[in-house]
């Protein structure tokens, strides 16, 4: 696993689009809702300090995290996992787990350094059930979507 650079943005755009098309929220997968320029700018801002992106060496998957101020308390900085995606033919192997471990390790560094106050990771409705409590996280709630 390695941190992504701006040179990875073309592949990351493909990954974000594939993630959107697979997402159970169908509105996200509609072609007319894709804005490559906006996503490119967001990815670049994350790469240069707004968060981080790990990509595997064969570019088969990525995990993206963003730092942001808490909506209720601007003195609190959160780190959110935005996307964790692996090409379907490479799922069930080690790529996804290694991506998440890289995310978790970097998140721990940021917590210890005081760069963030807490970290949020999530389970995709279309992915496997993962008990993050075994990794030091606690369940806060669940999200439900109505379209």
């Amino acid at each position: 696993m390695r941190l992504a650079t701006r040179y990875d943005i073309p592949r990351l755009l493909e990954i974000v689009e594939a993630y959107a098309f697979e997402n159970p929220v169908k509105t996200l997968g509609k072609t007319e809702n894709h804005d490559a320029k906006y996503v490119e700018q967001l990815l670049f801002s994350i790469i240069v300090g707004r968060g981080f992106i790990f990509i595997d060496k064969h570019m088969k998957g990525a995990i993206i995290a963003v730092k942001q101020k808490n909506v209720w308390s601007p003195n609190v900085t959160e780190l959110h996992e935005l996307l964790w995606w692996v090409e379907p033919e490479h799922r069930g192997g080690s790529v996804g787990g290694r991506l998440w471990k890289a995310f978790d390790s970097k998140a721990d560094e940021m917590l210890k350094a005081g760069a963030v106050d807490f970290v949020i990771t999530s389970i995709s409705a279309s992915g496997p059930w993962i008990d993050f409590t075994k990794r030091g996280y606690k369940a806060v709630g669940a999200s439900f979507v109505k379209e």
Side-chain angles (χ1 to χ4, degrees), residues 33-55:
N33 290 334
H34 291 270
D35 185 339
K37 189 69 174 163
Y38 171 81
V39 175
E40 181 179 348
Q41 291 171 347
L42 175 62
L43 292 170
F44 185 74
S45 74
I46 291 169
I47 287 168
V48 298
R50 189 173 171 200
F52 59 84
I53 302 171
F54 280 101
I55 191 163

Side-chain angles (χ1 to χ4, degrees), residues 54-121:
F54 280 101
I55 191 163
D56 76 293
K57 67 180 178 180
H58 300 293
M59 298 183 151
K60 302 299 181 191
I63 192 163
I64 302 173
V66 66
K67 286 188 316 186
Q68 63 187 37
K69 296 294 181 187
N70 178 275
V71 68
W72 304 114
S73 179
N75 295 330
V76 175
T77 303
E78 309 167 352
L79 180 69
H80 288 263
E81 171 205 316
L82 289 182
L83 174 149
W84 178 19
W85 188 87
V86 175
E87 287 182 354
E89 59 271 18
H90 294 281
R91 294 176 188 164
S94 65
V95 174
R98 288 184 294 123
L99 283 166
W100 192 85
K101 284 183 180 181
F103 159 84
D104 190 46
S105 178
K106 181 76 170 168
D108 278 344
E109 286 176 23
M110 294 172 79
L111 281 167
K112 288 175 185 161
V116 297
D117 296 296
F118 62 90
V119 178
I120 299 173
T121 190

